[in-house]
Amino acid sequence: MRKPKVVIVGAGYGGLMTIVRLQKLLGVNEADIVLVNKNDYHYETTWLHEASAGTLHHDKVRYDIRNVIDRSKVDFIQDTVVEINKEEKKVILEQGEVSYDYLVIALGGEPETFGIKGLKEYAFGITNVNSSRQLREHIEYQFATYNMEEEKNENRLSIVVGGAGFTGIEFLGELTNRIPKLCQEYDVDFQKVKITCVEAAPTVLPGFDPELVKYAVSQLESKGVEFLIGTAIKECTPDGILVAKGEEEPREIKAGTVVWAAGVRGNAVIEKSGFEAMRGRVKVQPDLRVPGFDDVFIIGDSSLVINEEINRPFPPTAQIAMQQGEVCSRNIAFLIRDKHELESFSFENKGTVCSLGDDDGIGVVFGKKITGSKAAFMKKVVDNRALYMIGGAGLVLKKGKLKVF
Amino acid sequence: MRKPKVVIVGAGYGGLMTIVRLQKLLGVNEADIVLVNKNDYHYETTWLHEASAGTLHHDKVRYDIRNVIDRSKVDFIQDTVVEINKEEKKVILEQGEVSYDYLVIALGGEPETFGIKGLKEYAFGITNVNSSRQLREHIEYQFATYNMEEEKNENRLSIVVGGAGFTGIEFLGELTNRIPKLCQEYDVDFQKVKITCVEAAPTVLPGFDPELVKYAVSQLESKGVEFLIGTAIKECTPDGILVAKGEEEPREIKAGTVVWAAGVRGNAVIEKSGFEAMRGRVKVQPDLRVPGFDDVFIIGDSSLVINEEINRPFPPTAQIAMQQGEVCSRNIAFLIRDKHELESFSFENKGTVCSLGDDDGIGVVFGKKITGSKAAFMKKVVDNRALYMIGGAGLVLKKGKLKVF
């Protein structure tokens, strides 16, 4: 009898959680499991703001996938997914194709630029290991070049962050801690550095408790960040950005570095493969399968789950992706064992911590508001927990944030 | 009675050696001594190839000038020299001016581009701390960007070094040691990196023993350097360089990084101040004074001393600058003490060691040829000696290359 073949595409939080649970749930003879991923490593998307600011080396935010998969049960293919052929039940890769009986799409999200002119060409992203280290090196190069020029160009020391959501604020926390070190390294006067955060929404960190938001803003302002709230980026140019508040005439903010940290959408593969989607996100059934495709699960940033309390989608986070991975692995085991009553996913919010650098943060944990070093501590606990859930204590010891005190 | 005022401009090897000897030779009441320098630090010009390649941090190649001057005897002014007014005996600075009774010009050299189009605009230099760290960051940024691009541009991994003299070869030695680390850091295939050295002269390291030159070339070739000898750079562009051998049609070598390490000339201030000079270098009297100006000494890269044996100028080196500084300080003391028979300078060649990275090199020391780790060891001895001569054992302990075994 042919064993059913389970293919998981993407080794982010959702994909890896599915794999590590599935390889425990299923015996070697029950299924063939295949993991496809672009890189041979997993990276901690929620730590990329640190690699981007240069406060944590990018090798610390990634680990080899082969460290966490059980190679007696899982075949790993390093390749890039081009498209899903749902009819023939095949994943088309750049270098070949893989057929499946059950498919888990966990490809992660992509930056959403909302069609703003120039962002794709000129703005840097906090998206993956490649983009983060490029951003880090770009900022360093701007500082290194500043003193080389006869006519000093202070725009090289101007950094704009587009977006005051989670990623933008966490990046600003790290960046403001890093700037004094960059100034020392490149003999630059700290007073000449300019950091601006532009947010189109009427508030920083929409959805967060207003008291905590106020704390975060005042902490970052005290470290030199200027916030332009309710202000939209109209265009990004090689020299900076054009912004406008409401119907104002756009004005220019010159900047040697523009970081776009404002939008996430689902993966382009979703639309390319003909799934019905909103900005690349598929509204999945309670069992996490795609309506009309009983053999395809979508989890993580490309899935859309409605928060019934407020009738709006849950924002895509590592927390929800990992919880989906747990349910997804159990549902696949059910299907393989011919049990067709699947488990329904419901998100259990364990809390949210937004870091403001290594030593500061804000958060709501078990319904309690926290700030400062307590929040920074909880952030490290959260980061370590993700490692523990996927790779156990060994991975925490290897890659964990152990200096928690 | 007014004390005579001695002004030394430039805190390189020559200038600092003059200062540290002079402050020992003269009592507080014998003279006012003023040191003028653009930066508040001295940097080891002969170590800049390491900072440029990124094998040694730039803070390790510089030290605070105030660590080596005796502040009870020497006033330090941090400013940039614009011009010397020989008639009014004044040094014109960007922020003011200083009058002198005796002047020592030790301003160092500048890159000579021989009018080759585009070099000033597009090539990087191993000239000072600013240019070295910019070059290091530029190479890193090229590597960091390589994996970010949809269409991989291998020219980003192509580095051209113009000049196979001392600086060019020492830089290549460090660079070839650094490349494997860069490849690992940025997930780049080592095979895709291309390093080319272009030299217009018919040989690498002109003036060096041919057997040693052969050793150096073969060591660097084995680490991936391609040498184009007897080949001139005709132009530098944003995309690379145009080269030609003899009367050949110029051909393009694409490169994301072009380093110009081929020519040194004297300081532009020399010509601007109306001294008679050849490429910014003044042929000084045996007592190191400028013919016709009994109160002006020139030492280091802007001075020209003839090697009588071959009737050609000695190349500008740290060794000759420091020996000139010793004689210069004694001659100033003579003048201040009204002794008008000055000492004549004669260069005593203690040997030359050219490094090929941390662990390899070639050299002639006390007339004996050495290669490999022995030469690398001697190089560190030479480097430490320069520190010792200027700052004593304390400076060697602080900044020295102590891992000599």
Side-chain angles (χ1 to χ4, degrees):
Chain A
M1 218 185 83
R2 201 183 71 88
K3 282 189 280 181
K5 190 166 172 188
V6 183
V7 176
I8 291 135
V9 293
Y13 294 107
L16 271 197
M17 183 55 97
T18 307
I19 281 283
V20 297
R21 291 297 166 102
L22 208 53
Q23 69 193 6
K24 277 191 192 149
L25 284 172
L26 296 180
V28 179
N29 299 319
E30 285 188 282
D32 288 323
I33 308 176
V34 177
L35 173 66
V36 178
N37 196 57
K38 189 175 178 173
N39 307 303
D40 59 1
Y41 56 83
H42 162 89
Y43 56 85
E44 304 288 327
T45 310
T46 60
W47 306 9
L48 287 176
H49 59 283
E50 297 171 74
S52 302
T55 47
L56 188 70
H57 191 272
H58 59 257
D59 282 339
K60 295 253 178 181
V61 313
R62 62 176 172 179
Y63 55 80
D64 196 319
I65 288 166
R66 281 158 295 203
N67 284 347
V68 295
I69 58 174
D70 177 344
R71 281 186 267 180
S72 69
K73 290 184 181 172
V74 179
D75 287 329
F76 174 60
I77 299 175
Q78 189 182 345
D79 205 340
T80 300
V81 176
V82 177
E83 197 182 333
I84 314 294
N85 183 331
K86 316 183 288 290
E87 288 68 35
E88 296 181 23
K89 303 183 73 161
K90 274 183 193 165
V91 180
I92 316 298
L93 306 172
E94 275 181 2
Q95 318 287 340
E97 50 180 59
V98 193
S99 63
Y100 63 80
D101 296 301
Y102 301 104
L103 175 67
V104 180
I105 303 178
L107 287 168
E110 290 180 356
E112 171 66 89
T113 55
F114 305 108
I116 298 168
K117 202 177 149 189
L119 275 183
K120 268 197 184 135
E121 292 79 1
Y122 307 121
F124 292 84
I126 303 173
T127 314
N128 52 44
V129 169
N130 284 331
S131 77
S132 293
R133 67 187 165 195
Q134 191 199 29
L135 171 53
R136 177 195 74 200
E137 288 299 319
H138 177 79
I139 293 172
E140 286 187 13
Y141 186 62
Q142 295 299 316
F143 275 70
T145 302
Y146 177 74
N147 271 321
M148 271 301 288
E149 289 169 324
E150 205 65 33
E151 291 252 324
K152 301 271 176 283
N153 176 2
E154 290 187 12
N155 300 331
R156 292 198 183 276
L157 310 177
S158 164
I159 301 171
V160 165
V161 176
F166 225 82
T167 309
I169 293 299
E170 291 202 319
F171 176 66
L172 286 166
E174 297 297 324
L175 186 66
T176 48
N177 280 356
R178 173 99 162 117
I179 292 292
K181 285 169 193 121
L182 284 175
C183 286
Q184 197 182 17
E185 172 88 359
Y186 297 104
D187 302 315
V188 165
D189 177 3
F190 179 75
Q191 300 301 326
K192 294 195 190 301
V193 179
K194 191 178 156 192
I195 302 176
T196 315
C197 178
V198 184
E199 171 60 57
T203 172
V204 166
L205 288 172
F208 238 82
D209 178 272
E211 195 189 342
L212 295 176
V213 169
K214 202 173 148 193
Y215 175 86
V217 168
S218 99
Q219 289 296 83
L220 292 174
E221 279 179 343
S222 76
K223 286 171 162 182
V225 179
E226 188 191 347
F227 284 94
L228 302 178
I229 302 304
T231 304
I233 295 185
K234 296 293 181 185
E235 189 180 339
C236 184
T237 71
D239 301 323
I241 52 167
L242 298 176
V243 297
K245 207 165 180 162
E247 296 304 304
E248 275 180 0
E249 195 61 24
R251 68 185 176 93
E252 187 180 20
I253 300 175
K254 290 201 182 273
T257 306
V258 176
V259 182
W260 181 244
V264 183
R265 47 167 287 126
N267 202 285
V269 167
I270 299 288
E271 286 143 331
K272 204 172 171 194
S273 309
F275 290 107
E276 200 179 304
M278 290 155 61
R279 296 196 184 280
R281 301 178 76 189
V282 174
K283 195 175 162 194
V284 290
Q285 299 174 170
D287 60 17
L288 300 175
R289 286 186 292 183
V290 179
F293 295 91
D294 274 0
D295 41 19
V296 180
F297 293 79
I298 301 185
I299 61 175
D301 294 358
S302 296
S303 73
L304 194 149
V305 176
I306 297 292
N307 180 351
E308 305 288 354
E309 283 177 38
I310 53 171
N311 199 30
R312 290 189 54 188
F314 284 111
T317 60
Q319 191 181 173
I320 196 169
M322 289 174 73
Q323 290 184 18
Q324 287 178 322
E326 292 182 70
V327 171
C328 179
S329 65
R330 288 195 290 268
N331 281 346
I332 288 170
F334 285 141
L335 289 173
I336 285 170
R337 290 166 184 166
D338 261 336
K339 292 177 182 154
H340 290 274
E341 243 171 76
L342 300 191
E343 184 181 334
S344 284
F345 171 74
S346 75
F347 176 51
E348 188 198 342
N349 190 347
K350 295 198 193 303
T352 313
V353 186
C354 176
S355 107
L356 299 169
D358 188 47
D359 47 356
D360 199 359
I362 56 172
V364 180
V365 182
F366 301 119
K368 262 189 77 177
K369 289 191 246 180
I370 50 173
T371 58
S373 59
K374 202 177 259 183
F377 170 79
M378 277 313 295
K379 183 74 182 182
K380 292 184 182 76
V381 171
V382 169
D383 287 348
N384 287 339
R385 185 171 182 274
L387 291 171
Y388 181 77
M389 298 278 286
I390 288 171
L395 193 61
V396 176
L397 282 173
K398 212 163 162 183
K399 293 285 175 176
K401 293 183 172 170
L402 300 174
K403 276 197 258 168
V404 285
F405 295 108
Chain B
M1 216 183 85
R2 200 181 73 90
K3 284 189 278 180
K5 188 165 173 188
V6 183
V7 175
I8 292 135
V9 292
Y13 295 105
L16 272 197
M17 182 55 97
T18 307
I19 279 283
V20 298
R21 292 297 166 102
L22 208 53
Q23 69 194 9
K24 277 190 193 152
L25 285 172
L26 296 180
V28 179
N29 298 320
E30 283 189 282
D32 289 323
I33 308 176
V34 177
L35 172 66
V36 178
N37 196 57
K38 189 176 177 171
N39 307 304
D40 58 2
Y41 56 84
H42 162 88
Y43 56 86
E44 304 287 329
T45 309
T46 62
W47 306 9
L48 286 176
H49 59 283
E50 297 171 75
S52 303
T55 47
L56 189 71
H57 191 271
H58 60 258
D59 282 338
K60 295 252 177 183
V61 313
R62 63 174 171 180
Y63 55 80
D64 196 319
I65 287 167
R66 282 158 294 203
N67 283 346
V68 295
I69 58 174
D70 177 344
R71 282 186 264 180
S72 68
K73 290 184 180 172
V74 178
D75 287 330
F76 174 60
I77 299 176
Q78 188 181 344
D79 206 340
T80 300
V81 175
V82 177
E83 199 182 333
I84 314 293
N85 184 331
K86 317 184 287 292
E87 289 67 35
E88 295 182 24
K89 304 184 71 160
K90 274 184 193 165
V91 180
I92 316 299
L93 305 173
E94 277 182 1
Q95 318 287 342
E97 51 181 57
V98 192
S99 62
Y100 63 81
D101 295 300
Y102 301 104
L103 175 67
V104 180
I105 303 178
L107 287 169
E110 289 179 357
E112 170 66 270
T113 55
F114 305 109
I116 298 169
K117 201 177 150 188
L119 274 183
K120 268 196 188 137
E121 291 80 1
Y122 307 122
F124 292 83
I126 302 172
T127 314
N128 52 43
V129 168
N130 284 332
S131 77
S132 293
R133 66 187 166 194
Q134 190 199 29
L135 170 53
R136 178 195 74 198
E137 288 300 319
H138 177 79
I139 293 172
E140 286 188 13
Y141 186 62
Q142 295 298 314
F143 274 70
T145 302
Y146 177 74
N147 272 321
M148 271 301 289
E149 289 169 321
E150 205 66 32
E151 292 252 324
K152 300 270 175 290
N153 176 3
E154 289 185 14
N155 301 332
R156 292 199 182 276
L157 311 176
S158 164
I159 301 170
V160 164
V161 176
F166 225 83
T167 308
I169 293 299
E170 291 202 317
F171 176 65
L172 286 167
E174 298 298 323
L175 185 65
T176 49
N177 280 356
R178 172 101 162 118
I179 292 292
K181 285 169 195 123
L182 284 175
C183 287
Q184 198 183 17
E185 171 90 359
Y186 297 105
D187 302 314
V188 165
D189 177 2
F190 178 75
Q191 300 300 326
K192 295 197 190 300
V193 178
K194 192 179 156 193
I195 302 176
T196 315
C197 178
V198 184
E199 171 60 58
T203 174
V204 166
L205 289 171
F208 239 81
D209 176 271
E211 196 188 341
L212 293 176
V213 169
K214 204 174 145 190
Y215 175 87
V217 168
S218 100
Q219 290 295 86
L220 292 174
E221 279 179 343
S222 76
K223 286 172 162 181
V225 178
E226 189 190 347
F227 283 94
L228 302 178
I229 303 303
T231 304
I233 295 183
K234 295 295 182 185
E235 188 180 338
C236 184
T237 71
D239 300 324
I241 53 167
L242 298 176
V243 297
K245 209 167 177 156
E247 296 303 305
E248 277 180 1
E249 195 62 24
R251 67 185 175 92
E252 187 180 21
I253 299 175
K254 290 199 183 273
T257 307
V258 176
V259 182
W260 181 245
V264 184
R265 47 166 289 127
N267 202 286
V269 166
I270 299 288
E271 286 143 331
K272 202 171 174 195
S273 309
F275 290 107
E276 200 180 306
M278 291 154 58
R279 297 195 183 280
R281 300 178 74 190
V282 174
K283 197 178 159 193
V284 289
Q285 298 173 174
D287 59 17
L288 301 173
R289 286 186 291 182
V290 180
F293 295 91
D294 275 359
D295 42 18
V296 181
F297 293 79
I298 301 186
I299 61 175
D301 294 359
S302 296
S303 73
L304 195 150
V305 177
I306 297 292
N307 180 350
E308 304 288 352
E309 283 178 37
I310 55 171
N311 200 29
R312 289 188 54 187
F314 285 112
T317 60
Q319 192 181 171
I320 197 168
M322 289 174 72
Q323 290 184 18
Q324 287 178 322
E326 292 181 70
V327 172
C328 179
S329 65
R330 288 195 288 269
N331 281 347
I332 288 171
F334 284 141
L335 288 172
I336 285 172
R337 289 164 186 168
D338 261 335
K339 293 177 184 157
H340 290 275
E341 241 170 80
L342 299 191
E343 183 180 335
S344 285
F345 172 73
S346 74
F347 177 52
E348 188 198 341
N349 190 346
K350 296 197 193 306
T352 313
V353 186
C354 175
S355 106
L356 299 168
D358 187 48
D359 47 356
D360 200 358
I362 57 172
V364 180
V365 182
F366 302 118
K368 262 188 77 178
K369 288 191 249 181
I370 52 173
T371 60
S373 58
K374 204 178 261 182
F377 170 77
M378 277 312 295
K379 182 74 183 181
K380 293 186 180 75
V381 172
V382 169
D383 286 349
N384 287 339
R385 187 173 181 274
L387 290 172
Y388 181 77
M389 297 279 286
I390 289 173
L395 192 60
V396 177
L397 281 174
K398 210 164 164 185
K399 293 285 175 175
K401 293 183 172 169
L402 301 172
K403 277 197 257 169
V404 286
F405 295 108

